[in-house]
């Protein structure tokens, strides 16, 4: 970033002129002041003024009593709102009672006098944890407008200092994980703009994500009316590329905030003010240009406050990054042609970011897929051309799919059963002329699929599945055995050899498992559809019943094995008794081999088979259950609370299997009424459906097996790097990529990279809204589309609609769970989750129903719910936000509805 001038490091006084400030002085002047200094130094119009540095705050408030409050706040959890509020009040009182040192008092009076005698000023707080790239922290501290006189200014400064400890600011910092002792406050003092009109300007559309649109809200008088939400302002959306006004919505602007003579402000009603816009087209263009200049200077979209004085001069009074925008894909090409990126992370039910090493692993696997399909992959570590990352999540460029007639026919149908809301977003883009069809022949697609199918001998697999289904199952078992053999590392391997082995596993051995096994479950679902037609098309609900209680599903087998262990624990008093201890203590005792025998050996046996699994398990950076068994011990504790024999999961699963077999009999009977041959064909088809459909989980299971082995090798390399001092801890290796790990083995220090990556990862963990589809101009198409949720007349969320996933109706209490680690789910409660993967499914055994924000009828969670006979609705927009733990719900898995119960 270029600056007309650089700040003078010798300026260490308590007061600094605004034009001498910059972002490199964040710790001294806080986010707001630093950004104002950047605007001024870039030549943008900023009202003149000065800043009291954080040193002034620290000198004025230093006391053992406030240090004690800092320590108490650090020890208080974010959910203890009453405790935080009490400590915040104590801190405010201490700050307000503190004397302003004489040197600071004199410096403030001198700087104020330089602005002009009795000049009206605005006094704004500028915290060191404010207006940051990862957390804007907007509005958490106080602002005082139209302050007149030096004594009034010093009083306002003291109140600004105290506002660092408002309840909302303290709670916000606690949630963000910001240490109380790490924050301090600077104060900005600027000449007051007597505004004819003022408001806010976003240089990108914060709702749709479009980077080329500027959004302006405006109202007469001081901007506080707009910022505080006191009025319905005029709203304008401008296309920055063309200058065209895309939207012009005139608000009622029913109230005006204006300065009073001698200081302070007043609110004046303005009946009828909404008749005329508060800005003309020339003013809108001028504001958009200023915003664009600020964006270019800062290098990211900005949220600015502005004011136009009575003389028509335009001023910028604040700038901060728009932190709510989702990051752009890292491979967005230049040029006017838009691209469409689909979030593969969400398609896998993964909302959290991936670690850097996790992303590196996925890039290699994606390169393996592309190479097998004869796509060029110049640098496998970088991933294939369609691969992209945004917000530390996986995206793929689907533009060629949207522009292909076969792609439009196939891919949305795949997502109909995987992640139905993604399919809906893609279909809505079909009408966008920017993505019109240019490829009509299926040959470009087939010439990439045929080599993969031929190498994996897919036709042979399908024929074997039809005529020798038992042999087909045995062959799928051999695929897993061959993979496990390839995972073995030679004894005495060096760290470099281990890294090479990791790349060999990810780049060669993982993907071939998918085309070797996946044709069998695909055949099972195809035969289900064929059987339905032969039986007279009984309807999708009747066919879905056949899929309940499926055999050969490795995930349900895992869950039932865990239930069997819980049963053994229940029958062993010594093992059952220890579950009164905290879960971390039980995990510690397991690692020390200090648990009662039945629990110790049973848990060891379970983890020897399934310890490679985890929550968010496609990320090699995530700890496996064998690394930390706390989650599994917590699930066992949940199982032990099931005291109704009828709710026992093994009984429920057996009941579901019997009901499925009974449904098979009904479908066979319906077909036999037409002819004996039809009946025989339906029986054979449905027998294979039940044999093969459960195998849909097996390719991912083997993928996770491989990732578990990869993680073990990386952990060994990490230990060696930590011993050499290249990284601080062994698990830091998951915050570098493979190339960096190789450099670390060569002696390169990686601590700086790790610290930066950990901070970025921690920030992304807090992001809740992830776009299913993202365009290369930043547009989030789903945000543009109408919200499908119906809102009741009382203002509460009414019936929520999603995709039917597992038939049945349940009325029960909701339990919203965002992370299954340590989750508590009472037997019979309705599990409400953003998404699920196999790491979640142990919770399904005691759930009475399931509601998910993502997924389709054949997504992982839907399939497992059907097998356990749990009513389920998936693809429910914002379910975890609109439903609260304790709400009574009716889940209708056949209709796809979730309704509040009285």
């Amino acid at each position: 970033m270029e600056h007309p001038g650089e700040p003078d490091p010798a300026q260490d006084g308590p007061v600094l002129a605004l034009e001498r400030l910059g972002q490199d002085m964040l710790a001294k002047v806080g986010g707001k002041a630093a950004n104002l200094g950047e605007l001024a130094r870039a030549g943008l119009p900023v009202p003149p003024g000065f800043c009291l540095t954080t040193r002034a705050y620290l000198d004025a408030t230093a006391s053992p009593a406030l240090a004690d409050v800092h320590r108490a706040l650090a020890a208080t959890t974010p959910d203890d709102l009453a405790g935080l509020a009490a400590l915040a009040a104590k801190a405010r009182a201490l700050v307000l009672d503190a004397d302003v040192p004489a040197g600071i008092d004199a410096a403030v009076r001198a700087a104020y006098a330089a602005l002009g005698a009795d000049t009206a000023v605005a006094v704004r707080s500028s915290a060191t944890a404010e207006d940051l790239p990862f957390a804007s922290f907007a509005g958490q501290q106080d602002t005082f407008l139209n302050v007149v006189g030096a004594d009034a200014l010093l009083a306002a400064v003291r109140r600004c200092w105290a506002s660092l400890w408002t309840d909302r600011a303290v709670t916000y910092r606690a949630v963000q994980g910001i240490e109380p002792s790490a924050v301090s406050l600077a104060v900005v003092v600027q000449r007051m703009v007597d505004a004819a009109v003022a408001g806010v300007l976003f240089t990108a559309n914060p709702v749709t994500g479009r980077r080329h649109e500027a959004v302006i809200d405006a109202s007469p008088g001081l901007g506080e009316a707009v910022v505080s939400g006191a009025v319905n302002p005029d709203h304008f959306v401008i296309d920055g590329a063309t200058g065209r006004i895309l939207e012009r919505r005139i608000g009622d602007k029913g109230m005006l905030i204006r300065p009073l003579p001698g200081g302070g402000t007043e609110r004046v009603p303005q009946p009828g003010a909404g008749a005329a816009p508060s800005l003309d087209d020339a003013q809108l263009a001028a504001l958009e240009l200023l915003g664009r200049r600020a964006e270019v200077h800062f290098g990211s979209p900005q949220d600015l406050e502005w004011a136009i004085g009575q003389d028509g001069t335009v001023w910028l009074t604040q700038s901060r990054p728009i932190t709510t925008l989702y990051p752009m894909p890292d491979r967005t090409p230049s040029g006017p042609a838009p691209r469409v990126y689909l979030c593969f992370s969400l398609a896998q039910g993964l909302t959290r970011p991936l670690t850097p090493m996790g992303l590196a692993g996925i890039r290699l696997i994606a390169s393996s897929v592309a190479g097998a399909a004869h796509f060029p992959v110049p640098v496998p570590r970088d991933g294939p051309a369609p691969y992209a990352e945004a917000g530390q999540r996986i995206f793929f460029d689907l533009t060629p799919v949207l522009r292909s007639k076969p792609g439009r026919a196939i891919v949305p149908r795949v997502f109909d059963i995987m992640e139905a809301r993604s399919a809906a977003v893609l279909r809505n883009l079909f009408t966008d002329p920017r993505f019109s069809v240019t490829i009509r022949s299926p040959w470009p697609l087939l010439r990439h699929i045929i080599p993969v199918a031929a190498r994996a001998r897919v036709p042979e697999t399908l024929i074997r599945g039809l005529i020798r289904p038992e042999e087909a199952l045995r062959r799928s078992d051999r695929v897993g055995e061959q993979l496990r053999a390839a995972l073995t590392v030679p004894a005495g391997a060096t760290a470099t050899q281990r890294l090479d082995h990791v790349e060999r596993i990810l780049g060669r051995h993982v993907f071939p498992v998918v085309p070797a096994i996946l044709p069998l479950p695909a055949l099972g679902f195809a035969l289900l559809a064929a059987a339905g037609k032969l039986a007279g098309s009984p309807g999708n609900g009747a066919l879905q019943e056949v899929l309940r209680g499926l055999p050969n599903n490795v995930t349900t087998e895992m869950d039932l094995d865990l239930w069997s262990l819980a049963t053994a624990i229940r029958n062993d008093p010594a093992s059952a008794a220890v579950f009164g201890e905290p879960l971390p203590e039980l995990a510690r005792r397991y690692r020390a081999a200090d648990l009662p025998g039945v629990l110790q050996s049973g848990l060891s046996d379970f983890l020897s088979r399934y310890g490679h699994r985890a929550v968010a398990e496609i990320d090699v950076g995530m700890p496996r259950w064998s690394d930390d068994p706390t989650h599994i011990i917590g699930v066992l504790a949940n199982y032990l609370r099931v005291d109704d024999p009828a709710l026992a999961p093994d009984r429920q699963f057996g009941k579901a299997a019997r009901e499925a077999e009974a449904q098979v009999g009904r479908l066979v009977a319906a077909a036999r009424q037409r002819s004996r041959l039809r009946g025989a064909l339906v029986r054979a088809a449905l027998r294979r459906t039940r044999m093969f459909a459960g195998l849909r989980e097996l390719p991912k299971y083997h993928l996770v097996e491989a990732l578990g082995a990869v993680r073990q090798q990386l952990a060994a390399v990490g230990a060696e790097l930590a011993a050499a001092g290249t990284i601080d801890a062994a698990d830091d290796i998951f915050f570098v990529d493979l190339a960096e790990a190789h450099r670390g083995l060569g002696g390169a220090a990686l601590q700086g990279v790790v610290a930066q990556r950990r901070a970025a990862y921690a920030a992304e963990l807090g992001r809740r809204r992830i776009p299913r589809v993202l365009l290369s101009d930043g547009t989030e198409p789903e945000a543009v589309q109408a919200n499908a949720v119906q809102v009741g007349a009382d203002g509460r969320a009414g019936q929520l609609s999603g995709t039917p996933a597992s038939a049945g109706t349940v009325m029960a209490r909701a339990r919203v769970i965002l992370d299954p680690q340590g989750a508590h789910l009472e037997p019979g409660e309705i599990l409400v989750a953003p998404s699920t993967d196999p790491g979640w499914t142990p919770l399904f055994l005691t759930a009475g129903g399931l509601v998910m924000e993502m997924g389709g009828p054949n997504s992982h969670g839907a399939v497992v719910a059907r097998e356990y006979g749990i009513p389920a609705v998936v693809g429910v927009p914002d379910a975890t936000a609109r439903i609260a733990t304790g709400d009574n719900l009716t889940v209708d898995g056949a209709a796809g509805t979730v309704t509040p119960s009285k």
Side-chain angles (χ1 to χ4, degrees):
M1 186 180 299
E2 296 181 2
H3 302 297
E6 294 297 330
D8 182 3
Q11 285 193 330
D12 290 327
V15 173
L16 300 176
L18 280 184
E19 61 270 18
R20 304 303 299 169
L21 309 183
Q23 287 187 318
D24 52 355
M25 303 173 70
L26 180 66
K28 180 180 291 188
V29 300
K32 186 182 282 91
N35 290 348
L36 283 169
E38 290 284 348
L39 290 174
R41 290 161 61 187
L44 290 161
V46 175
F50 58 91
C51 173
L52 279 79
T53 67
T54 54
R55 174 50 55 193
Y57 165 80
L58 294 172
D59 287 349
T61 61
S63 71
L66 190 56
D68 290 341
V69 174
H70 290 170
R71 285 188 286 272
L73 282 170
T76 305
T77 59
D79 57 356
D80 184 1
L81 299 182
L84 291 174
L87 290 167
K90 187 173 182 180
R92 288 195 302 274
L94 288 170
V95 173
L96 286 171
D97 288 344
D99 293 327
V100 178
I104 296 173
D105 183 292
V108 170
R109 291 179 184 274
Y112 176 66
L115 291 178
D118 290 331
T119 297
V121 293
V123 183
R124 295 185 171 94
S125 306
S126 180
T128 54
E130 176 182 57
D131 295 351
L132 304 176
F134 62 89
S136 70
F137 210 63
Q140 298 300 317
Q141 276 83 47
D142 288 343
T143 290
F144 302 95
L145 302 177
N146 199 38
V147 176
V148 179
D151 291 340
L153 169 57
L154 285 163
V157 166
R158 195 194 305 270
R159 291 164 67 191
C160 278
W161 286 339
S163 74
L164 185 62
W165 304 102
T166 61
D167 293 356
R168 64 181 183 271
V170 167
T171 302
Y172 186 94
R173 290 195 295 268
V175 171
Q176 293 290 330
I178 299 171
E179 283 290 325
S181 59
V183 295
S184 56
L185 193 80
V187 178
V188 176
V189 179
Q190 287 178 283
R191 184 176 292 158
M192 187 77 183
V193 177
D194 185 8
V197 59
V200 297
L201 160 63
F202 293 91
T203 64
N205 193 316
V207 176
T208 66
R210 289 172 176 155
R211 301 308 202 265
H212 62 86
E213 292 181 356
V215 178
I216 297 174
D217 285 353
S219 188
L222 300 180
E224 178 67 14
V226 176
V227 174
S228 67
V231 296
N232 293 319
D234 294 339
H235 179 78
F236 307 92
V237 179
I238 301 105
D239 187 326
T242 65
R244 189 164 61 95
I245 299 174
L246 304 175
E247 185 178 347
R248 191 193 307 264
R249 188 170 69 241
I250 307 305
D252 58 39
K253 306 182 292 292
M255 188 266 293
L256 174 79
I257 299 179
R258 65 186 183 189
L260 287 169
T265 62
E266 66 174 349
R267 298 189 173 207
V268 182
Q270 285 200 115
S278 52
L279 294 172
D280 59 32
D281 289 4
Q283 290 171 316
L284 289 171
L287 284 169
E288 193 279 330
L289 178 60
L290 285 176
R292 201 177 333 144
R293 288 176 59 192
E295 177 178 288
V296 169
H297 179 77
F298 285 105
S300 65
Q302 296 291 298
D303 165 9
L304 300 110
E305 295 179 20
W306 55 269
I308 300 177
Q310 298 293 341
D311 61 356
T313 303
V314 181
W315 299 95
L316 299 179
T317 58
Q318 191 162 300
S319 185
R320 63 175 72 91
I322 307 176
T323 57
T324 57
L325 291 173
Y326 196 80
M328 299 289 287
D330 59 353
R331 290 188 177 181
T332 301
S334 58
R339 311 296 294 182
V340 179
Y341 295 90
L342 180 128
C343 185
F344 185 75
S345 289
L346 286 187
Q348 287 293 305
L350 186 61
T351 56
R352 64 184 296 139
L354 275 75
T355 60
M357 188 62 81
L359 290 169
I362 296 297
R363 288 197 295 271
L364 274 180
I365 295 172
S367 294
S368 173
V369 176
H374 291 186
F375 286 102
V377 186
V379 183
R381 284 178 180 171
D382 293 344
Y387 178 92
E389 293 169 7
Q392 300 167 45
R393 293 167 179 89
I394 309 162
F395 284 78
F396 281 96
D397 185 348
L398 284 197
T399 311
V401 170
L402 262 68
R403 309 208 74 169
S404 162
K405 187 176 180 180
R408 287 189 174 197
I410 296 171
V411 172
R413 291 182 183 178
V414 172
F415 278 94
D416 279 336
I417 60 176
M418 281 182 60
E419 218 292 299
R421 288 171 63 189
S422 295
V425 176
L426 289 174
R427 286 194 175 97
N428 280 331
L429 291 174
F430 289 175
T431 59
D432 191 325
R434 298 176 297 172
F435 308 117
S436 58
V437 171
T438 58
I439 302 171
R440 300 187 179 278
S441 169
W443 175 243
L445 177 64
L446 290 174
R447 68 189 178 91
H448 293 293
I449 292 177
I450 289 173
V452 177
R455 180 175 299 179
R457 299 160 67 181
V458 170
E460 180 184 334
T461 300
L462 294 174
I463 293 170
R464 185 182 293 109
L466 286 170
I467 64 176
R468 301 178 63 188
E470 288 82 3
E471 172 58 26
L473 283 176
R474 286 192 291 271
R475 186 173 182 272
S476 70
D477 289 339
R478 288 197 293 273
V479 170
E481 293 168 2
Q482 292 165 2
L483 174 66
R484 282 187 283 274
L487 300 180
T488 304
V489 181
T494 67
T496 298
Q497 289 171 333
R498 291 179 188 277
L499 283 181
D500 291 341
H501 182 69
V502 162
E503 297 199 52
R504 191 160 51 249
I505 292 172
L506 298 173
R508 297 183 191 174
H509 297 299
V510 171
F511 172 65
V513 171
V514 177
I517 295 176
L518 202 56
L520 288 178
L523 175 63
F525 285 106
L527 291 173
L528 177 65
K533 291 182 179 179
L534 288 170
S537 300
N540 188 60
L543 294 178
Q544 292 291 335
E545 287 191 41
V546 174
L547 300 176
R548 299 183 66 186
L550 286 174
N552 304 319
N553 186 318
V554 67
T555 300
T556 56
E557 289 171 357
M558 174 190 74
D559 294 342
L560 291 172
D561 282 352
L562 193 59
W563 173 256
S564 295
L565 175 56
T567 302
I569 293 168
R570 188 191 303 272
N571 294 330
D572 180 62
S575 296
V578 302
F579 278 86
E581 299 178 20
L583 297 181
E585 172 62 14
L586 292 179
R588 185 200 64 78
R589 291 185 62 184
Y590 169 76
R591 286 189 288 267
D594 185 38
L595 291 172
V598 170
L599 175 55
Q600 183 75 35
S601 62
L603 188 55
S604 178
D605 289 345
F606 178 85
L607 292 176
S608 69
R609 295 193 300 273
Y610 304 111
H612 60 275
R613 308 220 73 162
V615 176
E617 59 193 2
I618 67 169
D619 181 359
V620 73
M622 290 296 290
R624 309 288 114 171
W625 291 340
S626 56
D627 298 326
D628 183 1
T630 306
H631 171 59
I632 289 301
I633 296 172
V635 173
L636 288 170
N638 281 338
Y639 288 179
L640 292 175
R641 285 195 290 271
V642 178
D643 52 13
D644 183 350
L647 295 178
D650 52 351
R651 291 195 184 184
Q652 297 276 35
F653 186 80
K655 178 174 178 285
R658 290 190 297 273
E659 290 173 350
E661 292 294 346
Q663 182 65 9
V664 168
R666 287 190 288 271
L667 292 172
V668 170
R672 187 176 292 149
Q673 288 180 351
R674 295 185 163 196
S675 73
R676 294 178 64 86
L677 176 61
R678 279 179 182 257
L681 290 174
V682 168
R683 182 178 296 280
L686 294 182
R687 175 172 175 262
R688 284 157 178 78
T689 292
R690 288 191 56 76
M691 288 180 70
F692 298 148
L695 295 178
R696 70 177 296 279
E697 295 286 316
L698 195 55
K700 185 175 182 181
Y701 178 85
H702 288 317
L703 163 68
V704 175
E705 268 192 306
L707 292 178
V710 163
R711 180 178 171 85
Q712 287 182 340
Q713 300 309 314
L714 290 171
V717 175
E720 188 164 325
L721 290 174
T726 301
I727 56 179
D728 293 332
D731 65 352
D732 283 349
I733 194 170
F734 299 111
F735 288 87
V736 299
D737 61 25
L738 289 162
E740 291 162 342
H742 275 289
R743 289 199 291 273
L745 290 175
L750 300 175
Q751 286 92 340
V753 172
V754 169
Q756 181 183 20
R757 300 264 179 80
R758 282 191 178 276
Y761 180 79
E764 277 299 326
L765 278 173
R767 190 185 298 276
R768 288 294 310 279
R769 189 167 66 93
I770 317 298
R772 284 171 167 74
V773 176
L774 190 63
L775 304 190
S776 53
D777 67 350
T779 301
E780 299 180 23
E782 191 175 25
V784 181
Q785 298 163 13
N787 194 329
V789 178
Q790 304 168 8
V791 178
D794 61 355
R796 295 171 55 246
Q799 186 181 85
L800 309 182
S801 298
T803 301
S806 179
T809 301
V810 61
M811 296 177 61
R813 184 177 183 270
R815 173 79 63 172
V816 178
I817 297 178
L818 302 180
D819 185 340
Q821 300 281 8
H824 177 92
L825 183 72
E826 289 292 336
E829 288 184 325
I830 295 169
L831 171 61
V832 182
S835 64
T836 63
D837 64 9
W840 286 74
T841 57
L843 293 174
F844 285 29
L845 285 179
T846 55
L850 173 68
V851 177
M852 292 199 312
E853 292 183 336
M854 286 170 286
N858 275 345
S859 60
H860 170 81
V863 169
V864 177
R866 280 197 300 273
E867 293 185 13
Y868 293 159
I870 302 170
V873 181
V874 300
V876 180
D878 304 321
T880 59
R882 295 180 177 274
I883 298 170
T885 294
D887 287 353
N888 291 313
L889 303 178
T890 298
V891 174
D892 187 332
T897 58
V898 181
T899 309
S901 304
K902 298 296 184 184

